[in-house]
Amino acid sequence: MKILVIVKQVPDSTTVIKFAASGRDIERGGVKLVVNPFDEFAIELAVRLREARSDVETITVLTVGPASAAEALRTCLAIGADNAIHLQDAAFDSLDELQTAALIAAVVRERGYDLIVRGKQEIDLDSGQLGPALAELLNLPHVGAVTKFELAADGKSAVANRRVEGAEEIVPLQLPALVTVDKGLCEARYPSLPNLMKAKKKPMTALAAADLPGFADAVGGLGGSTLERLEPPPQRPPGKILKGEPEQVAAELVALLRSEAKAI
Amino acid sequence: MGDDILVFAEQRENRLHAGALQCVTAARSLAGKTGGQVVACVIGDATDQAVAAVQNAGVDRVIVVRDASLRLYSPLRYRTALAAAITKVGPRAVLMPATFMGRDLAPRVAVCIRGACATDVVDVSCGQNGAIDARRPVYNGKASCHVTLPANRVAVISIRPNVYAPSSGAAPGAVEPLAFAAAPGDDRVGARELMRAGGEIKDVAEADVIVAGGRSLKSEENFKIIYDLARELDAAVGASRAACDAGYQPHSRQVGLTGKTVTPKLYIACGISGAIQHLAGMRGSKVIVAINTDAEAPIFKAADYGIVGDLFKIVPLLTQEVHKLRHA
Ligand SMILES: Cc1cc2nc3c(=O)[nH]c(=O)nc-3n(C[C@H](O)[C@H](O)[C@H](O)COP(=O)(O)OP(=O)(O)OC[C@H]3O[C@@H](n4cnc5c(N)ncnc54)[C@H](O)[C@@H]3O)c2cc1C
Ligand SMILES: Nc1ncnc2c1ncn2[C@@H]1O[C@H](COP(=O)(O)O)[C@@H](O)[C@H]1O
């Protein structure tokens, strides 16, 4: 069985957002970059499958991103992936989510992965489009936002659970397939220092647009959304702090929620 | 591609999702500009109540795709069904609620019909030269992003729940059945069952009011006061990651960056510091209340109403006050 994990490098969740002069990006200088937390669960799932079974031949980790994204791949190699693919080209920067999926589809289509794993969304642009879009492009079944995943002994099918509004769906699926993973599936592990050293020796393939003759055709037929600008979120008016004895503030709050906020 | 706006009116077990009527409101405003109709699409098995609910909400037509194999959500079958409705209508844009179903389905359908896609949108309008403008929160809600979807492709957009008001209508829209023909391979993913999360307490993703507790609750038993207030308010119980990691609440109740994103009408944060990753999941709530002993806690910066005080005293008093109000 060949497993592909797709990751993205994103700014750490505590990053203080400053807007770049272009208005279309954030100021990247000094920002700490990490593996998207949901993608950490994805690599963890792949590594756990390998630990639990004897039929996992390879775990490949793939990203699209600038030179710095190689660091995210190294982290995943240290956690347990065997090899990495880094799609890096200035031409990839302007692709939207669906086109990024088309780019990845063009690269992985012939490589015969049995299972593709991905976080349910990215914590930067937060779109969550890549997984389902890639599944459609590769004509694979997918299950999104999975919190439990059990692969059958023969590796030909699986049962995935996902939590939806007030309920849990239990979804049987056939492999090859793609799943996106949610929090609760597993705890992600940290790479150890010795493994980070060893990861430097694992193979990493860099591919640019010139290496992919079909690239323009693959991304030309869909998507094309443009990020026009980023701006601060809508501001809330300053809140009211209620002061006084507990009995008094509790009564006052309930009255305000009823009459002023019309929330209860 | 025409001028109509298609709304995927999500239903489960014959109950229309509240977000579907909110999408109709967004669709009406778009159709006002394009000059087209608002067409709803209901997909499922027994769906008459859901169809009736959307039919009377100000839509011109309702397309109903009914089949026993569509009783539960399947990303493949629902993609095939919705793509067929899109082919039939030829809309300018397709809107759906950004629920677990909608967020999952939108990108898949967008690829299937070679359209463009934007997810979790809070504001949508017709832009210049036929493009569609969408605004969506990014970077954990620390920024807002404007995207345009090109004029030459169908725009598939999921709309964040509780941002638009629900639509209500005058004359009922005409119902048109559309036969379902599964695509080859659609049976590669099934839907075995839908297990309702037990108990009378709702899930955070479907509640209008959420009462949430943090690490400061100190134990699972102490969460009882949070549940008491929630029951009085017909609310869901949420929790911070610290509270979930400590085992006081299941991870399914976690709100935040790696938990659920919620946009209820009222969010009451009890003993939650307001770490950026928690705010990421709840700052889109309409009204936010914070109760915290620390006047400097960051949650107060996000709150509309704050009480600096001990939650163990305040929360039971709130429960009493709400009870009085409800039984007055
Ligand atoms: C990648 C990543 C993802 C994360 N995802 C999430 C997420 O999804 N959701 C999430 O919540 N967190 C998330 N976190 C964790 C987050 O950073 C915080 O650690 C967490 O939210 C803190 O939870 P808390 O507010 O309950 O606890 P604390 O920060 O310990 O705050 C407790 C608060 O309770 C107050 N308090 C104490 N006693 C009382 C009392 N008697 N009455 C009233 N107030 C009292 C204190 O003043 C304090 O403000 C994430 C972190 C990372 C790094
Ligand atoms: N591994 C990945 N590398 C780059 N882009 C990705 C990746 N996964 C998903 N994407 C999508 O591609 C879009 C554009 O990425 P970017 O311009 O790099 O922020 C993002 O919003 C993501 O949805």
Side-chain angles (χ1 to χ4, degrees):
Chain A
M1 163 163 314
K2 289 162 74 180
I3 302 179
L4 173 69
V5 181
I6 299 171
V7 303
K8 188 177 183 194
Q9 189 183 47
V10 298
D12 180 79
S13 59
T14 54
T15 304
V16 176
I17 301 291
K18 295 201 194 81
F19 298 100
S22 70
R24 291 171 178 227
D25 198 1
I26 61 166
E27 204 57 77
R28 301 254 164 199
V31 168
K32 184 179 167 207
L33 297 169
V34 297
V35 176
N36 177 34
F38 291 102
D39 298 341
E40 287 184 334
F41 303 135
I43 182 82
E44 181 69 33
L45 172 63
V47 172
R48 285 192 189 188
L49 286 172
R50 158 129 78 204
E51 286 167 353
R53 311 169 59 96
S54 57
D55 61 348
V56 177
E57 293 159 51
T58 53
I59 301 174
T60 300
V61 57
L62 178 151
T63 197
V64 185
S68 68
E71 199 53 40
L73 293 176
R74 292 262 179 250
T75 305
C76 298
L77 290 169
I79 290 172
D82 302 302
N83 55 61
I85 302 174
H86 187 174
L87 305 179
Q88 185 196 342
D89 195 308
F92 302 158
D93 291 348
S94 57
L95 302 180
D96 77 353
E97 293 89 340
L98 298 188
Q99 293 168 333
T100 303
L103 166 68
I104 295 173
V107 172
V108 308
R109 187 169 277 122
E110 303 304 328
R111 296 183 186 231
Y113 295 103
D114 303 283
L115 181 65
I116 303 180
V117 199
R118 162 81 187 173
K120 77 161 178 177
Q121 68 194 61
E122 317 81 41
I123 65 160
D124 54 351
L125 297 186
D126 214 7
S127 87
Q129 290 186 35
L130 189 95
L134 182 59
E136 181 70 18
L137 284 154
L138 295 172
N139 186 22
L140 293 177
H142 90 271
V143 187
V146 162
T147 50
K148 196 170 158 200
F149 184 77
E150 274 170 12
L151 199 51
D154 66 2
K156 294 204 164 79
S157 67
V159 177
N161 290 34
R162 63 187 220 120
R163 291 199 205 102
V164 298
E165 295 81 4
E168 181 145 355
E169 284 177 358
I170 302 175
V171 185
L173 71 156
Q174 286 173 27
L175 266 55
L178 182 148
V179 292
T180 75
V181 298
D182 201 349
K183 155 113 188 172
L185 180 88
C186 54
E187 285 300 322
R189 72 189 77 182
Y190 292 106
S192 68
L193 208 55
N195 283 346
L196 277 167
M197 298 309 290
K198 279 187 222 150
K200 294 200 170 139
K201 300 207 183 70
K202 291 186 176 178
M204 194 183 299
T205 310
L207 295 174
D211 304 314
L212 306 166
F215 158 67
D217 287 342
V219 303
L222 79 176
S225 64
T226 322
L227 195 164
E228 299 292 345
R229 65 181 195 280
L230 287 176
E231 60 188 26
Q235 286 300 307
R236 281 176 176 270
K240 276 188 194 167
I241 302 290
L242 310 182
K243 296 205 172 77
E245 289 305 308
E247 290 76 12
Q248 181 196 336
V249 288
E252 193 183 345
L253 176 65
V254 170
L256 283 168
L257 289 177
R258 163 58 63 100
S259 58
E260 186 177 86
K262 309 214 182 316
I264 58 175
Chain B
M1 197 167 68
D3 303 325
D4 295 344
I5 311 296
L6 186 69
V7 171
F8 168 63
E10 172 179 337
Q11 63 86 34
R12 283 187 193 266
E13 297 174 324
N14 211 351
R15 261 181 50 211
L16 191 72
H17 192 280
L21 300 185
Q22 299 160 8
C23 285
V24 173
T25 303
R28 285 242 75 91
S29 85
L30 286 179
K33 287 277 161 49
T34 61
Q37 292 191 327
V38 174
V39 186
C41 172
V42 178
I43 297 174
D45 180 15
T47 56
D48 36 319
Q49 286 167 37
V51 169
V54 72
Q55 191 187 9
N56 292 302
V59 302
D60 299 294
R61 297 155 60 197
V62 186
I63 292 176
V64 181
V65 191
R66 267 189 78 159
D67 194 89
S69 70
L70 298 170
R71 185 174 67 83
L72 296 172
Y73 173 66
S74 140
L76 290 176
R77 292 199 189 90
Y78 272 51
R79 169 269 265 139
T80 302
L82 184 55
I86 294 170
T87 305
K88 179 179 161 91
V89 174
R92 172 70 194 89
V94 182
L95 307 186
M96 63 187 85
T99 54
F100 277 87
M101 196 190 290
R103 277 178 158 239
D104 196 61
L105 187 60
R108 188 141 203 162
V109 166
V111 170
C112 181
I113 61 158
R114 304 284 141 178
C117 185
T119 49
D120 207 22
V121 165
V122 296
D123 190 16
V124 60
S125 57
C126 289
Q128 284 180 344
N129 306 324
I132 291 205
D133 284 347
R135 187 164 61 80
R136 47 191 305 276
V138 290
Y139 293 102
N140 319 338
K142 287 184 280 188
S144 208
C145 157
H146 291 262
V147 237
T148 52
L149 303 184
N152 62 342
R153 298 195 199 284
V154 178
V156 182
I157 294 173
S158 69
I159 304 272
R160 182 177 275 210
N162 290 338
V163 176
Y164 283 91
S167 168
S168 58
V175 174
E176 301 162 36
L178 177 64
F180 176 65
D186 274 2
D187 57 356
R188 289 172 298 166
V189 49
R192 188 186 293 165
E193 64 184 297
L194 185 70
M195 293 190 307
R196 287 271 146 222
E200 38 177 337
I201 291 290
K202 295 183 182 170
D203 184 74
V204 288
E206 57 170 3
D208 278 344
V209 180
I210 296 173
V211 186
R215 192 200 317 257
S216 53
L217 265 297
K218 294 204 184 74
S219 71
E220 189 183 351
E221 298 77 62
N222 286 347
F223 256 84
K224 179 176 182 303
I225 59 170
I226 302 291
Y227 276 79
D228 288 344
L229 177 57
R231 209 167 282 116
E232 206 61 62
L233 285 166
D234 192 22
V237 170
S240 71
R241 168 156 152 187
C244 295
D245 284 353
Y248 308 159
Q249 287 296 301
H251 281 294
S252 58
R253 296 207 176 276
Q254 182 181 321
V255 171
L257 182 69
T258 41
K260 286 176 181 159
T261 301
V262 297
T263 49
K265 292 183 186 136
L266 174 62
Y267 189 90
I268 306 182
C270 310
I272 291 179
S273 60
I276 189 73
Q277 299 91 354
H278 189 80
L279 295 178
M282 44 65 76
R283 78 165 100 215
S285 308
K286 251 205 180 97
V287 178
I288 296 173
V289 172
I291 302 162
N292 198 303
T293 41
D294 175 7
E296 300 299 320
I299 190 77
F300 286 119
K301 293 213 176 64
D304 300 287
Y305 300 100
I307 295 180
V308 180
D310 182 356
L311 74 94
F312 289 102
K313 289 203 188 108
I314 305 285
V315 172
L317 288 166
L318 287 176
T319 308
Q320 274 179 30
E321 290 296 330
V322 175
H323 186 85
K324 274 196 241 163
L325 188 77
R326 290 278 153 103
H327 297 84

